[in-house]
Amino acid sequence: MSNNDTIYDVIVIGGGLAGLTSTIELARSGRKVLLIEKKEYPYHKVCGEYISNEVLPYLRSLGFDPIAFGAADIKRLRLSTPHGKNIYTNLDMGGFGISRYTIDNELYKLAVSKGAEVLMNTRVTDVTFADNQFTVTTNDATYTSKLVIGSYGKRDTLDKKLDREFIQQHTGYTGVKYHIKIDYPHDEIGLDNFKDGYCGISRVEGDTYNLCYLSYRAPKDEFRNIAELEEKVLFKNPVLKDIFQRATFLWDAPLVITQVSFEPKQLIENHIMMCGDAAGLITPLCGNGMSMAIGAAKLLTGLIEESEILDRSNITATDRQQLEDCYTKLWNKQFKTRLYWGRKIQGFFGNPLLTSAFLNTVHSIPPLERRLIGLTHGKVL
Ligand SMILES: Cc1cc2nc3c(=O)[nH]c(=O)nc-3n(C[C@H](O)[C@H](O)[C@H](O)COP(=O)(O)OP(=O)(O)OC[C@H]3O[C@@H](n4cnc5c(N)ncnc54)[C@H](O)[C@@H]3O)c2cc1C
């Protein structure tokens, strides 16, 4: 199939939270927008599924209220050291728990209702920019547009095609996610540390809980399988062992992703404006990647509209450069510090003695504890 005769205002590559939010915003401004997503909604995704409340009013303004879909209201944080000592603190802003299965699917429906075209089960394999327009190639067609938003997440073969620097580095970071049933406080998110990683637990819709961890090790290098990693490493923390042993696991096998990278990335690649994890992934212990993805989409689409670039019959190189510069400046202002502190704080985790010392020290100085949480979060959107 080919669709060469239509020139879209914007093609959005990847329909996670950054891509879906961008698509909804552009469609509701009356833009001709095409979202291309390689999977089919609804589907599960590796993620802790705890979203900071900073995005709640904005999501409602788009027409999606997570609470109406049974999202959990989360107010308290429990941290355990690798040796199993619990520390409790209140979350000033708090957050909500909702599965990606639900939120992504509902935002997809919203995007369609606003008039966006959405292609599912379609993978973008290449993007080129020439003669002032983009050509986006998928597994079965090519499409053209004036602008392209790259919101295809943490890592994709597209990054290789674009020769992005971070893709050259191999990381051992592995993400593992389950949905479970368990007797656990409804309004609490737990972050349980283990040697070389940490595991989150919090409620999503109904009485289902998300259990998701990041291990700095590539399990296949040292263990026969994920179960062995859990038994030999995670279960050294007695709190985690208890959670795993009491849980009823709802899936036959966990969802697993490997090669997760927290390295800084280029925001603009060959005029593609990156958004969400494709622009930079904050360490999951901050519980802030999803609100950053939504916030970056709001920022970028707001700038596109403000620039009026899509109203011009001919976009000049200067127009494009101004938009890209403005996005870069404001993205750095809004997100760069959070990514930096996320990496720094994660540096204290992993080594059991250092993690325990760090958590005990920070917890004994409440203003410092609040400051560290504040540094990795933003204001209400
Ligand atoms: C272990 C772990 C736990 C986490 N826990 C939390 C948490 O509790 N709270 C939080 O806020 N954040 C958390 N995060 C971060 C959060 O998941 C991400 O920041 C968020 O999903 C970013 O959204 P996104 O839209 O940028 O990317 P994604 O949600 O990953 O969406 C990218 C989309 O692009 C599609 N795609 C990829 N390649 C292509 C292609 N070539 N063509 C077409 N489509 C493509 C994918 O199928 C996907 O749907 C966690 C991350 C990890 C690794």
Side-chain angles (χ1 to χ4, degrees):
M1 192 187 88
S2 175
N3 204 0
N4 281 335
D5 43 348
T6 306
I7 300 177
Y8 290 92
D9 285 325
V10 186
I11 292 179
V12 179
I13 306 172
L17 294 181
L20 286 162
T21 308
S22 301
T23 305
I24 293 167
E25 280 287 13
L26 292 163
R28 75 173 179 171
S29 302
R31 301 301 176 188
K32 194 159 181 51
V33 51
L34 173 68
L35 168 65
I36 307 178
E37 166 55 47
K38 72 177 176 189
K39 295 200 177 155
E40 187 176 339
Y41 304 104
Y43 62 94
H44 291 288
K45 192 174 264 183
V46 173
C47 182
E49 301 180 326
Y50 164 84
I51 312 188
S52 162
N53 271 339
E54 66 195 68
V55 295
L56 194 53
Y58 176 62
L59 284 177
R60 285 177 172 151
S61 77
L62 289 181
F64 173 68
D65 185 357
I67 308 303
F69 289 86
D73 184 13
I74 296 169
K75 299 187 180 81
R76 297 186 308 146
L77 170 66
R78 180 188 57 75
L79 289 154
S80 78
T81 66
H83 305 105
K85 182 187 164 196
N86 278 319
I87 293 170
Y88 295 88
T89 188
N90 287 329
L91 290 165
D92 287 346
M93 186 167 338
F96 58 92
I98 190 163
S99 67
R100 297 298 298 266
Y101 190 86
T102 297
I103 187 172
D104 288 33
N105 191 41
E106 292 307 319
L107 292 178
Y108 150 66
K109 287 194 243 168
L110 200 55
V112 173
S113 76
K114 303 278 179 208
E117 263 182 69
V118 182
L119 289 176
M120 288 194 272
N121 293 315
T122 309
R123 175 190 271 273
V124 172
T125 53
D126 200 8
V127 186
T128 52
F129 179 76
D131 300 329
N132 215 14
Q133 72 178 24
F134 290 92
T135 302
V136 175
T137 307
T138 70
N139 37 303
D140 59 3
T142 58
Y143 302 89
T144 50
S145 65
K146 298 176 189 170
L147 300 178
V148 164
I149 295 179
S151 49
Y152 52 88
K154 299 166 219 359
R155 194 180 191 95
D156 187 75
T157 45
L158 212 45
D159 290 312
K160 278 201 185 117
K161 201 95 196 189
L162 293 167
D163 204 19
R164 299 186 81 191
E165 214 173 304
F166 82 92
I167 202 85
Q168 318 298 341
Q169 294 150 13
H170 288 270
T171 84
Y173 289 107
T174 300
V176 179
K177 167 178 157 180
Y178 300 94
H179 272 179
I180 60 169
K181 300 273 183 206
I182 192 167
D183 183 13
Y184 188 87
H186 277 192
D187 62 347
E188 180 182 289
I189 177 166
L191 194 66
D192 297 300
N193 288 280
F194 55 89
K195 187 173 184 309
D196 296 331
Y198 46 88
C199 179
I201 177 170
S202 55
R203 192 165 76 91
V204 287
E205 308 92 283
D207 56 354
T208 299
Y209 282 77
N210 172 299
L211 185 65
C212 182
Y213 62 86
L214 183 81
S215 166
Y216 306 174
R217 305 166 176 215
K220 68 175 172 44
D221 293 348
E222 292 172 68
F223 305 100
R224 270 177 300 153
N225 50 36
I226 293 284
E228 194 182 53
L229 165 78
E230 288 165 359
E231 211 176 302
K232 295 208 166 136
V233 182
L234 277 72
F235 290 8
K236 294 249 164 68
N237 178 340
V239 178
L240 257 184
K241 185 175 180 184
D242 175 62
I243 288 172
F244 271 77
Q245 289 185 339
R246 283 193 300 115
T248 304
F249 289 83
L250 301 181
W251 303 332
D252 292 340
L255 282 182
V256 181
I257 51 167
T258 57
Q259 294 283 339
V260 181
S261 170
F262 302 103
E263 290 301 310
K265 298 175 180 174
Q266 278 289 116
L267 191 61
I268 315 283
E269 297 276 6
N270 196 22
H271 300 289
I272 302 168
M273 292 179 287
M274 300 294 177
C275 192
D277 285 357
L281 171 61
I282 191 164
T283 52
L285 66 89
C286 304
N288 211 234
M290 288 190 278
S291 60
M292 279 181 52
I294 294 168
K298 178 176 187 273
L299 171 70
L300 177 55
T301 53
L303 290 174
I304 291 172
E305 288 309 324
E306 249 172 61
S307 71
E308 297 178 351
I309 196 168
L310 292 171
D311 298 326
R312 292 184 201 141
S313 50
N314 179 35
I315 299 176
T316 64
T318 314
D319 294 335
R320 202 176 284 283
Q321 194 60 51
Q322 274 173 355
L323 175 63
E324 292 171 6
D325 289 350
C326 195
Y327 179 49
T328 306
K329 188 171 148 215
L330 294 180
W331 189 94
N332 282 339
K333 191 166 166 221
Q334 204 167 322
F335 302 115
K336 208 174 174 179
T337 314
R338 284 197 229 181
L339 289 165
Y340 171 82
W341 280 105
R343 279 193 296 271
K344 282 277 165 227
I345 295 170
Q346 184 161 273
F348 285 101
F349 288 67
N351 175 313
L353 287 177
L354 191 60
T355 311
S356 298
F358 177 75
L359 291 178
N360 285 322
T361 308
V362 170
H363 187 58
S364 66
I365 312 171
L368 176 62
E369 191 176 68
R370 276 200 296 280
R371 179 83 184 116
L372 284 180
I373 294 175
L375 279 169
T376 55
H377 287 69
K379 297 190 181 69
V380 173
L381 285 186

